[in-house]
């Protein structure tokens, strides 16, 4: 598994006050579209925190079920990339945080069924919804967010998506529909 580190402040393990582990998943369908969360008008990948006493896979399956309604049980998954983000004064708490984010991929022509989703109150209050987006449109969206809004989150997402298409993608999507090289 490839590991990409974002450490703009030069923090070390001794500087870290807390560690957070997350799982996220890139979900593609047969029409070369990616399934995304829209939270308060911003697109993100599906996923969330690994809870106490949970393995990465348990967290992945739980987050998929909660946020999409997709129920997986015994499928075999390995993360294709791990992002390590070293954050100084994480969310203005005065604490330095190391976030480890494990990314997975899934191919399915799943139809969104809101009745199967189990969003928490925070997600409901942030107008959470799912949307399929053309991969090329998503690529343009990420570049806009990075270039005009200097979005750190979207830089991470572009890094993950680019790594995926350069190293993992092996004809799983229709190449004719992917006009731009990520």
């Amino acid at each position: 598994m490839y590991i990409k580190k974002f450490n703009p402040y030069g923090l070390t393990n001794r500087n870290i006050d807390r560690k957070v582990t997350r799982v996220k998943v890139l979900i593609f369908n047969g029409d070369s579209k990616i399934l995304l969360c829209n939270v308060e008008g911003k697109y993100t990948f599906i996923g969330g925190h690994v809870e106490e006493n949970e393995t990465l896979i348990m967290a992945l399956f739980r987050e998929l079920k909660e946020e999409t309604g997709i129920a997986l049980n015994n499928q075999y998954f390995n993360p294709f990339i791990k992002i390590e983000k070293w954050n100084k004064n994480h969310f203005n708490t005065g604490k330095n945080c190391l976030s480890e984010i494990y990314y997975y991929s899934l191919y399915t022509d799943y139809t969104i069924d809101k009745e199967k989703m189990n969003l928490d109150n925070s997600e409901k209050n942030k107008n959470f919804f799912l949307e399929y987006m053309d991969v090329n449109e998503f690529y343009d969206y990420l570049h806009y967010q990075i270039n005009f809004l200097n979005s750190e989150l979207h830089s991470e997402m572009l890094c993950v998506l680019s790594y995926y298409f350069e190293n993992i993608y092996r004809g799983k999507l229709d190449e004719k529909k992917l006009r731009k090289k990520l």
Side-chain angles (χ1 to χ4, degrees):
M1 169 181 43
Y2 178 69
I3 299 173
K4 174 69 176 170
K5 298 181 182 195
F6 292 93
N7 190 359
Y9 304 104
L11 298 173
T12 66
N13 285 334
R14 285 181 280 183
N15 304 120
I16 298 301
D17 300 305
R18 72 181 264 230
K19 181 178 161 187
V20 175
T21 305
R22 293 183 180 93
V23 293
K24 296 195 178 192
V25 60
L26 282 63
I27 300 177
F28 299 98
N29 70 12
D31 292 329
S32 301
K33 293 187 177 185
I34 186 167
L35 184 60
L36 300 163
C37 302
N38 188 311
V39 182
E40 294 184 325
K42 293 182 183 174
Y43 290 104
T44 65
F45 295 129
I46 293 158
H49 290 85
V50 177
E51 295 178 358
E52 192 173 332
N53 298 320
E54 248 185 350
T55 65
L56 295 174
I57 293 299
M58 289 166 62
L60 176 68
F61 288 1
R62 178 183 49 76
E63 288 290 344
L64 273 169
K65 178 72 173 140
E66 288 175 3
E67 294 184 1
T68 69
I70 296 173
L72 300 177
N73 294 317
N74 297 318
Q75 286 82 354
Y76 181 74
F77 287 93
N78 276 323
F80 65 89
I81 189 171
K82 174 184 169 187
I83 299 291
E84 293 181 1
K85 288 173 47 174
W86 304 69
N87 298 299
K88 189 172 187 175
N89 190 21
H90 191 242
F91 291 114
N92 296 317
T93 61
K95 305 280 185 187
N96 297 332
C97 180
L98 171 59
S99 296
E100 296 181 332
I101 307 137
Y102 294 84
Y103 281 89
Y104 298 81
S105 64
L106 175 65
Y107 288 84
T108 180
D109 283 317
Y110 178 73
T111 301
I112 299 167
D113 184 349
K114 293 180 184 179
E115 298 300 317
K116 292 182 180 179
M117 295 166 53
N118 186 24
L119 302 177
D120 63 31
N121 287 333
S122 173
E123 291 163 333
K124 289 176 186 174
N125 292 336
K126 293 180 179 178
N127 299 316
F128 177 102
F129 66 92
L130 296 173
E131 180 179 340
Y132 277 104
M133 184 183 288
D134 178 82
V135 173
N136 289 314
E137 288 176 37
F138 185 54
Y139 174 79
D140 292 340
Y141 166 82
L142 290 174
H143 274 281
Y144 174 81
Q145 296 294 322
I146 294 164
N147 292 332
F148 296 103
L149 303 177
N150 196 25
S151 171
E152 191 175 301
L153 169 66
H154 294 95
S155 293
E156 173 190 328
M157 294 171 73
L158 182 61
C159 171
V160 169
L161 197 61
S162 295
Y163 179 82
Y164 181 83
F165 279 104
E166 291 169 7
N167 298 282
I168 307 302
Y169 166 77
R170 302 204 197 292
K172 294 180 182 178
L173 297 176
D174 184 350
E175 289 184 60
K176 293 176 184 174
K177 294 181 181 177
L178 296 172
R179 295 176 300 278
K180 295 180 183 175
K181 177 149 174 57
L182 299 176

